[in-house]
Amino acid sequence: MNFDPRYSGRSFTSVGTRPIRPDGVDKVTGRARYGADFNMAGQLVGRVLRSPHAHAKIRKIDTSKAEKLAGVKAVITAADLPDLTDGDAAMYDILDNCMAREKAFYDGHAVAAVAAVDARTARQALKLIEVDYEVLPHVVDVDEAMKHTAPLLNDAIFTEGLDEKPVKPSNVTKRTQFGHGDIQEGFGQADFVVERSFKTEQTHQGYIEPHACVANVSSDGTADLWVCTQGHFVYRQHCAQLLGMEASKLRVTSSEIGGGFGGKTHVWAEPVALALSRKAGRPVKLVMTRDEVFRASGPTSATSIDVRIGARKDGTITAAEATLRYSCGPYAGMWAEIGAMTAFACYKLDNVKTVGYEVLVNRPKTAAYRAPSAPMAAFAVESAVDELAKEIGMDPVDFRIRNAAQEGTRSSYGPVYGPIGIGPTLEAAKNHPHMKAPLGKNQGRGMACGFWFNFGGQTCTDLNIGMDGSVSLAVGTVDVGGSRASLSLVAAEELGIDYGQVKAVVADTSSLGYNDMTDGSRGTFSSSMATISAARNAIKVLRERAAQTWDIPVDDVIWEKGHAIAKGEKYGNLAALSLKEIAAASGKTGGPIAGHSELVADGAGVSFATHICDIEVDPETGSTRVLRYTVVQDAGKAVHPTYVEGQYQGGAAQGIGWALNEEYIYGKDGRLQNPGFLDYRIPVCSDLPMIDTQILEIPNPNHPYGVRGVGETSIVPPLAAIANAVSNAVGVRMTHIPMSPPRILAAIEAEREG
Amino acid sequence: MVEVTLWGSLAALAGGKSKVEIEAKDIRELFRKLAEQYPGLEPLIEKGIAVAIDGTIYRDTWSKELPQGAEIFLLPRLAGG
């Protein structure tokens, strides 16, 4: 990579403006094509048979009757998706999750699938598949699963990370620890100590668009996959590996995406659709129902967290400790580890220790959800921080400012911070009019901070200049939040042309080099870096073409405001050549003009936010209303401020739903009781106030424009900010998320009864 | 020579050492020498380890230079949403 990513401190013409997004018209007129909107000639309907049991041994699957049903073209089981993972444990888990092998691990686990001429026939065929289950005891609660008496999900798992190698298998796959200093000594210096236990229930990302794809495997072994995903290159790798294909023979095209938030970062049904198509010899469309989305995809961890924080009378935190237990579903994960890393990341602490436990339960495979694991840890820590401030008698914002991490602070997860934005977000919150607005009866205000790492990653971009001077930008990161607009702004900025001259598309996997997926808040950070690099490479070609036209050395040609300019007095008579003019003549000066870039965008820079929330609680019913909500977050540089604000608002909206209503509810039989939006209630417009935003711009030193990722951090503070607001409104510390009306009412009544 | 700090799980695979000194000019050389000196680390390096250099996290830029005196911290490679 011959590209200097350092921040240059330049001024901007296009970046920072708010043009309309290129995908906007198609989305509001219904023309945009999502996962289920694509069809192929001769396409079959795929359907999946799912386990009704939370935990069961699969003794036998008899598909013979289904195969004989007229209109059924293929029936598959795990036998059609053999293990080709070659010892890759993470991929094996994904494979087993796509199609159960020896055991069904949760209610909704796929055990067989059919492809038929229509949906009715496919559904009939599922009913004809006979599965002989041996039902096993199950466990869905994270604390219960850790007990020695709990049913074991996998007797080959022995807890990693213990001082002594365990001799018995366990549902706890791993213990991890972070921190520094001496917490006992730290607590010894404390005048006040707060110690509490918290729980958060499992939630789904709640993407409106279900998982959907159309797979077509040809008889020559090549294949096409149209799919709703956050990373079509990653899906290609996964599917190729699981089906034993060469990656280059599988072309994956990403559709528009109706939400992912981490839930579309690895495959679920796509290998099944490809296996069905391979067996049937025809294209197969597979679309999950909402029931399937809830039961078999997505959810984040349920957690159980203990926090202890001590501080001196002057408000200085002397020690902080947390034990975090996160459910992983039936497969090992690193969810508690991330929680343990992020829990105290906002603070400057001399003595800190966090311990994480990854716990297997009979629930769906845990997936990333927007700053995965951080919101739950922040809920526990920020609740305790608020309570400690109260005990000391300090304003909660001032208490946080006093203890906020800054440049040079050793983070709780290890490294020393460079320039960071937690202090400025707190100062901005302190000075925000929201903090001074009066509150009424039964109303409470809460605030909280949040941290997320942000990532970069492998990125590849093409920029092609047409003979009419218009610019096509082909990127490989899926546009989940308006990045085509942002990246067009970046291309326009570099080339010195109008935004309207640039058209960005998300290219398929056969048209561009590998790209990591759009996760870790990396889409605009990474692809803008690659776009800058590609545009600069195109400018080199433009300068060469101008030099050729003028018959002068290329070193005498500079690029300014969309024009090639011959520098120096000796070229005084040469009129500048515009991009359009150079493009029009390109056929006679060497052919097409393009810029390419492949790079690893690293140095994304950590991100912080502070949120403020006002809540009103009805003490008779426990119902809540969010009155006002403010997000303050550092964006580094907001390329398209409207879409940065959209990310801030979206994270807050999801956090509000998580904090107040959303939860997976399991029956005693281990079956999910609320797999639908009627019973699993996400916020709708009427539940939310206008979410106010304040963008801070503290440049990232590792990006030419100073850009930081903005997509995830905004979901970290809401659980805590809302819990602090509710606690202040009702005068009782809330320790269990979601704070649904029955839970709030129970907390109020328990307090009354003493 | 740079001093490298390993997070807990990694330290266990390096004979319990949480800090090691390695002569390495960039991340690639650091990983190569770590794998040579502590073979238990090799599978984790293959799977992916992040390197924080003076607080900035690098996941894939193995050509990144390790400045003398910089704080080098090895971290798990994390998932994002």
Side-chain angles (χ1 to χ4, degrees):
Chain A
M1 181 179 78
N2 184 22
F3 176 71
D4 182 1
R6 284 176 297 178
Y7 175 61
S8 64
R10 62 174 288 173
S11 59
F12 298 103
T13 304
S14 295
V15 165
T17 61
R18 300 171 182 251
I20 291 171
R21 62 199 293 165
D23 48 318
V25 170
D26 279 357
K27 282 183 173 165
V28 298
T29 55
R31 287 194 194 93
R33 291 199 302 170
Y34 290 86
D37 293 329
F38 186 77
N39 295 295
M40 294 184 79
Q43 162 186 297
L44 302 171
V45 176
R47 284 280 187 276
V48 176
L49 183 68
R50 299 184 180 278
S51 166
H53 306 296
H55 196 193
K57 200 173 277 179
I58 301 169
R59 287 197 193 112
K60 190 183 168 196
I61 302 179
D62 183 351
T63 60
S64 56
K65 287 179 188 161
E67 283 162 7
K68 285 177 192 150
L69 183 68
V72 171
K73 302 298 179 187
V75 182
I76 64 163
T77 64
D80 298 279
L81 282 165
D83 178 13
L84 304 174
T85 58
D86 195 24
D88 182 338
M91 279 310 294
Y92 179 81
D93 289 347
I94 289 172
L95 172 69
D96 192 67
N97 189 51
C98 287
M99 191 63 74
R101 266 119 246 279
E102 287 96 23
K103 278 167 112 182
F105 283 114
Y106 56 90
D107 165 37
H109 198 165
V111 294
V114 302
V117 291
D118 56 36
R120 185 170 168 271
T121 308
R123 280 196 299 270
Q124 280 179 329
L126 291 186
K127 288 179 185 165
L128 294 173
I129 298 173
E130 293 170 2
V131 186
D132 181 11
Y133 292 106
E134 178 189 339
V135 178
L136 301 170
H138 67 273
V139 60
V140 296
D141 181 81
V142 64
D143 289 323
E144 290 296 320
M146 288 184 74
K147 292 180 179 169
H148 296 302
T149 51
L152 271 183
L153 272 78
N154 186 339
D155 58 14
I157 286 187
F158 294 79
T159 310
E160 291 177 26
L162 300 179
D163 289 337
E164 285 184 26
K165 202 171 179 182
V167 292
K168 286 185 178 172
S170 167
N171 288 328
V172 180
T173 64
K174 194 163 72 168
R175 176 191 184 277
T176 47
Q177 183 176 322
F178 294 88
H180 55 258
D182 182 334
I183 57 160
Q184 294 316 322
E185 194 181 314
F187 280 114
Q189 297 164 12
D191 299 310
F192 297 91
V193 175
V194 164
E195 187 170 4
R196 283 229 182 242
S197 295
F198 300 87
K199 284 201 92 155
T200 68
E201 295 301 327
Q202 187 161 41
T203 57
H204 196 275
Q205 293 84 345
Y207 29 85
I208 301 303
E209 186 192 12
H211 298 270
C213 66
V214 181
N216 183 31
V217 182
S218 176
S219 53
D220 65 2
T222 60
D224 276 288
L225 181 69
W226 165 274
V227 62
C228 168
T229 172
Q230 287 177 246
H232 46 318
F233 290 89
V234 172
Y235 273 36
R236 180 182 66 171
Q237 297 291 103
H238 286 186
C239 290
Q241 188 177 350
L242 296 181
L243 279 96
M245 298 176 69
E246 284 175 33
S248 62
K249 290 187 176 167
L250 173 59
R251 184 175 68 159
V252 182
T253 307
S254 63
S255 68
E256 293 290 350
I257 183 168
F261 315 110
K264 292 173 183 169
T265 53
H266 72 66
V267 294
W268 305 88
E270 297 75 14
V272 174
L274 284 162
L276 284 169
S277 175
R278 182 165 62 182
K279 198 164 186 176
R282 284 170 63 173
V284 173
K285 179 189 267 193
L286 207 163
V287 181
M288 279 195 189
T289 63
R290 182 59 56 187
D291 176 279
E292 288 178 296
V293 169
F294 274 109
R295 287 169 67 210
S297 83
T300 186
S301 302
T303 73
S304 160
I305 303 172
D306 306 325
V307 175
R308 187 159 70 119
I309 310 177
R312 283 198 292 266
K313 285 177 198 162
D314 66 359
T316 307
I317 296 177
T318 58
E321 181 182 20
T323 303
L324 307 101
R325 298 164 287 267
Y326 280 51
S327 71
C328 300
Y331 308 106
M334 59 183 315
W335 309 111
E337 186 168 10
I338 302 175
M341 291 176 77
T342 59
F344 291 108
C346 291
Y347 297 107
K348 182 182 177 180
L349 301 167
D350 291 333
N351 306 295
V352 57
K353 178 183 173 186
T354 55
V355 176
Y357 293 99
E358 316 291 348
V359 187
L360 301 187
V361 294
N362 292 112
R363 292 179 181 233
K365 182 179 191 296
T366 294
Y369 180 11
R370 213 168 185 164
S373 303
M376 306 83 127
F379 159 60
V381 167
E382 291 292 291
S383 295
V385 163
D386 231 49
E387 199 170 353
L388 190 53
K390 217 168 249 164
E391 286 207 8
I392 295 170
M394 277 183 80
D395 174 83
V397 185
D398 289 334
F399 181 64
R400 286 175 172 86
I401 289 172
R402 184 177 185 86
N403 293 289
Q406 51 195 265
E407 187 170 356
T409 294
R410 178 162 301 287
S411 67
S412 57
Y413 58 89
V416 171
Y417 286 125
I420 54 171
I422 177 68
T425 67
L426 279 163
E427 293 289 349
K430 185 181 177 177
N431 297 320
H432 198 283
H434 186 165
M435 288 303 284
K436 297 167 190 73
L439 288 167
K441 196 181 171 194
N442 298 322
Q443 295 177 358
R445 174 167 301 141
M447 53 81 57
C449 302
F451 161 89
W452 182 242
F453 294 99
N454 291 342
F455 304 130
Q458 297 184 66
T459 313
C460 186
T461 295
D462 268 342
L463 187 148
N464 292 291
I465 299 175
M467 288 175 72
D468 62 353
S470 63
V471 174
S472 303
L473 183 65
V475 301
T477 44
V478 171
D479 179 356
V480 301
S483 62
R484 276 167 291 186
S486 304
L487 299 173
S488 297
L489 283 170
V490 168
E493 186 73 53
E494 282 296 318
L495 294 169
I497 59 176
D498 186 68
Y499 167 80
Q501 271 178 261
V502 185
K503 170 76 175 170
V505 297
V506 179
D508 67 56
T509 57
S510 295
S511 308
L512 211 53
Y514 176 83
N515 279 262
D516 283 334
M517 58 199 159
T518 304
D519 75 334
S521 302
R522 73 174 288 272
T524 299
F525 168 78
S526 301
S527 275
S528 67
M529 209 185 273
T531 299
I532 292 168
S533 171
R536 290 179 184 176
N537 288 335
I539 287 169
K540 264 187 219 163
V541 181
L542 289 161
R543 285 173 50 233
E544 283 164 9
R545 301 301 174 86
Q548 201 183 117
T549 305
W550 288 324
D551 200 16
I552 65 173
V554 69
D555 288 346
D556 289 351
V557 181
I558 59 169
W559 190 260
E560 236 176 53
K561 296 180 181 169
H563 290 76
I565 296 167
K567 66 176 180 185
E569 285 182 12
K570 58 184 172 181
Y571 303 127
N573 290 333
L574 291 177
L577 283 172
S578 71
L579 182 141
K580 275 191 179 180
E581 288 168 321
I582 298 169
S586 61
K588 298 183 187 69
T589 59
I593 298 173
H596 178 76
S597 171
E598 68 270 319
L599 50 78
V600 172
D602 249 332
V606 295
S607 170
F608 294 88
T610 297
H611 291 199
I612 315 163
C613 173
D614 293 352
I615 294 267
E616 183 171 296
V617 181
D618 180 345
E620 300 293 317
T621 64
S623 81
T624 49
R625 192 157 62 94
V626 183
L627 303 170
R628 186 171 179 179
Y629 202 100
T630 302
V631 176
V632 184
Q633 188 177 319
D634 173 20
K637 174 66 193 173
V639 177
H640 192 307
T642 303
Y643 303 145
V644 172
E645 289 161 1
Q647 291 294 325
Y648 291 4
Q649 291 165 330
Q654 286 187 308
I656 289 168
W658 191 344
L660 294 175
N661 282 304
E662 296 177 36
E663 102 180 83
Y664 267 45
I665 298 169
Y666 280 90
K668 284 184 180 167
D669 55 5
R671 289 178 183 162
L672 185 60
Q673 302 294 298
N674 58 337
F677 280 136
L678 278 176
D679 297 317
Y680 178 100
R681 196 171 179 286
I682 63 171
V684 296
C685 284
S686 55
D687 293 316
L688 300 172
M690 176 62 194
I691 295 168
D692 195 9
T693 59
Q694 186 175 349
I695 300 172
L696 304 186
E697 292 188 328
I698 300 156
N700 176 3
N702 302 305
H703 185 284
Y705 295 178
V707 171
R708 294 178 195 271
V710 297
E712 294 172 288
T713 309
S714 53
I715 202 171
V716 183
L719 310 191
I722 296 163
N724 288 335
V726 172
S727 300
N728 290 333
V730 300
V732 185
R733 173 53 52 186
M734 300 303 297
T735 59
H736 197 156
I737 295 282
M739 295 167 288
S740 52
R743 228 168 246 145
I744 290 177
L745 210 52
I748 294 171
E749 285 170 1
E751 180 75 4
R752 274 190 205 134
E753 289 162 12
Chain B
M1 191 72 78
V2 292
E3 186 183 73
V4 182
T5 308
L6 315 177
W7 92 90
S9 313
L10 212 58
L13 297 170
K17 290 184 183 175
S18 60
K19 284 185 191 295
V20 295
E21 289 208 332
I22 301 276
E23 185 74 49
K25 64 178 185 304
D26 57 22
I27 292 176
R28 183 182 314 282
E29 192 175 7
L30 171 68
F31 283 161
R32 182 166 56 78
K33 290 191 172 172
L34 274 174
E36 281 168 12
Q37 292 177 30
Y38 307 99
L41 294 177
E42 198 168 1
L44 273 178
I45 292 170
E46 279 300 311
K47 260 172 80 178
I49 290 178
V51 182
I53 304 172
D54 286 335
T56 301
I57 298 172
Y58 296 88
R59 299 203 305 173
D60 295 303
T61 313
W62 283 26
S63 59
K64 187 72 189 172
E65 289 182 3
L66 306 176
Q68 282 298 318
E71 190 208 39
I72 314 293
F73 216 103
L74 300 192
L75 294 168
R77 189 186 170 93
L78 304 175

